[in-house]
Amino acid sequence: MCSSDLGTPLPLLALVTGVLGLASADPTIVITTRNAAGNQALAGVQVEYSMLGHTLGSVVSGPDGEAVVAPRSLLTGKMTFTASKQGFFNDVVETTISEETNKVYISISLAPYLADLPHHMRLVMNWGSTPLDLDLHSVQINKYTGETCTTKHINSHGCPGVSLDRDIREGGVAGGETILWTNPADFFYLLLVHDYSNHAGHLLTESGVRLVLYGNSTQQVARYTCPTVDPKGHSRYWTLGYFDGALGFQSFVLINKLMSEDPNQWWIREVVPTFPSTTTTTT
């Protein structure tokens, strides 16, 4: 059977094209793959791209972690990229190709398996080119004393049993931010994203920010994307949810809410008192 430049059988390409149409320009998609545990370039990652559930082709990242999708004619619509490499969790990213699309940059951070690391968990954040500075936060509260500690860019290794690897300030194309829990048992955790840039023209709802939460089993993966509708207009916080460190991944509760004010105090005041065996006194 004949194939197109996309590597797709022509009858299938015709079917998909009839539904979606062709981009008038010749867009290029530049994919950069990195190791979420350190943000180094990750070579040998296979990235499969598809539309409407049909695989259109695949590329493999080189030594610099880069792979390029540059077909002569690219279909318009939502395209899905699935990145995979042995020893790592898969990552899935979606982007929309329009008739005006010229060049798209996609940053993918693959997280190594945590199967040999009991009680470990990892949260990975990726986003688009703007805002330049999104910060990943983990608010920790001690179950017995009520003391709180926030892991973030200015306190990356100051809270017991949890750490932030780096602070990205050049937009999501520069890589992702990762929080790792190694001993979370005595704490509850609130997970959120802070728009530190606070630029009026760069909204969280348009950032493409996505979070992936990983447990210590290859089956424990949860992917979330930021809401695209903001009732407040310009919220600076995306509150993802919370979990009990003793129970780990399975205890995660999704909030998925945009907020204009720091959700830390709201969480302590409204949510924490409902937890069992937890004092409401905080420091």
Side-chain angles (χ1 to χ4, degrees):
M1 182 181 291
C2 295
S3 296
S4 72
D5 291 341
L6 291 172
T8 305
L10 285 177
L12 174 58
L13 179 63
L15 172 63
V16 178
T17 302
V19 176
L20 297 173
L22 291 169
S24 57
D26 290 332
T28 298
I29 300 175
V30 180
I31 304 166
T32 304
T33 58
R34 297 180 175 87
N35 188 332
N39 207 43
Q40 301 93 344
L42 192 61
V45 177
Q46 179 169 320
V47 183
E48 181 180 276
Y49 49 99
S50 61
M51 276 186 168
L52 297 178
H54 299 293
T55 299
L56 301 179
S58 65
V59 290
V60 178
S61 63
D64 58 356
E66 189 171 292
V68 178
V69 179
R72 188 170 60 192
S73 293
L74 194 62
L75 300 174
T76 59
K78 183 177 289 186
M79 179 172 279
T80 301
F81 297 85
T82 303
S84 60
K85 183 178 174 68
Q86 187 173 4
F88 292 79
F89 290 95
N90 289 359
D91 195 17
V92 179
V93 184
E94 292 184 340
T95 191
T96 299
I97 305 298
S98 70
E99 293 184 358
E100 293 76 29
T101 299
N102 183 21
K103 202 165 192 176
V104 178
Y105 293 92
I106 297 176
S107 181
I108 295 178
S109 299
L110 292 187
Y113 290 149
L114 295 169
D116 296 329
L117 301 169
H119 312 299
H120 282 48
M121 293 176 62
R122 179 180 277 124
L123 181 66
V124 180
M125 175 176 72
N126 285 107
W127 72 101
S129 57
T130 59
L132 293 179
D133 192 358
L134 294 184
D135 288 332
L136 191 57
H137 288 199
S138 164
V139 183
Q140 178 187 76
I141 182 167
N142 189 295
K143 295 179 181 179
Y144 309 107
T145 67
E147 291 182 291
T148 61
C149 184
T150 300
T151 299
K152 56 183 179 179
H153 63 289
I154 58 174
N155 187 40
S156 60
H157 291 76
C159 303
V162 58
S163 60
L164 171 71
D165 65 342
R166 63 187 22 80
D167 179 26
I168 301 293
R169 302 179 183 179
E170 302 83 30
V173 294
E177 295 187 9
T178 299
I179 286 180
L180 177 67
W181 291 270
T182 56
N183 186 22
D186 291 335
F187 305 93
F188 293 107
Y189 295 90
L190 176 69
L191 314 179
L192 60 100
V193 174
H194 176 210
D195 177 8
Y196 190 85
S197 297
N198 194 27
H199 189 290
H202 299 154
L203 304 178
L204 267 176
T205 52
E206 300 172 352
S207 66
V209 60
R210 62 189 191 277
L211 296 173
V212 187
L213 183 65
Y214 300 96
N216 62 357
S217 162
T218 56
Q219 305 302 313
Q220 294 181 332
V221 183
R223 297 181 173 88
Y224 305 97
T225 56
C226 182
T228 55
V229 177
D230 184 1
K232 299 183 180 298
H234 188 188
S235 294
R236 295 186 62 194
Y237 297 88
W238 173 28
T239 305
L240 181 65
Y242 59 88
F243 71 91
D244 182 337
L247 300 178
F249 182 93
Q250 63 185 1
S251 68
F252 179 74
V253 176
L254 181 66
I255 297 175
N256 198 30
K257 185 176 181 180
L258 292 170
M259 298 182 176
S260 55
E261 303 295 332
D262 188 340
N264 191 359
Q265 292 304 313
W266 163 82
W267 183 61
I268 293 173
R269 183 180 66 253
E270 303 292 338
V271 181
V272 171
T274 67
F275 296 159
S277 305
T278 308
T279 177
T280 58
T281 302
T282 59
T283 59

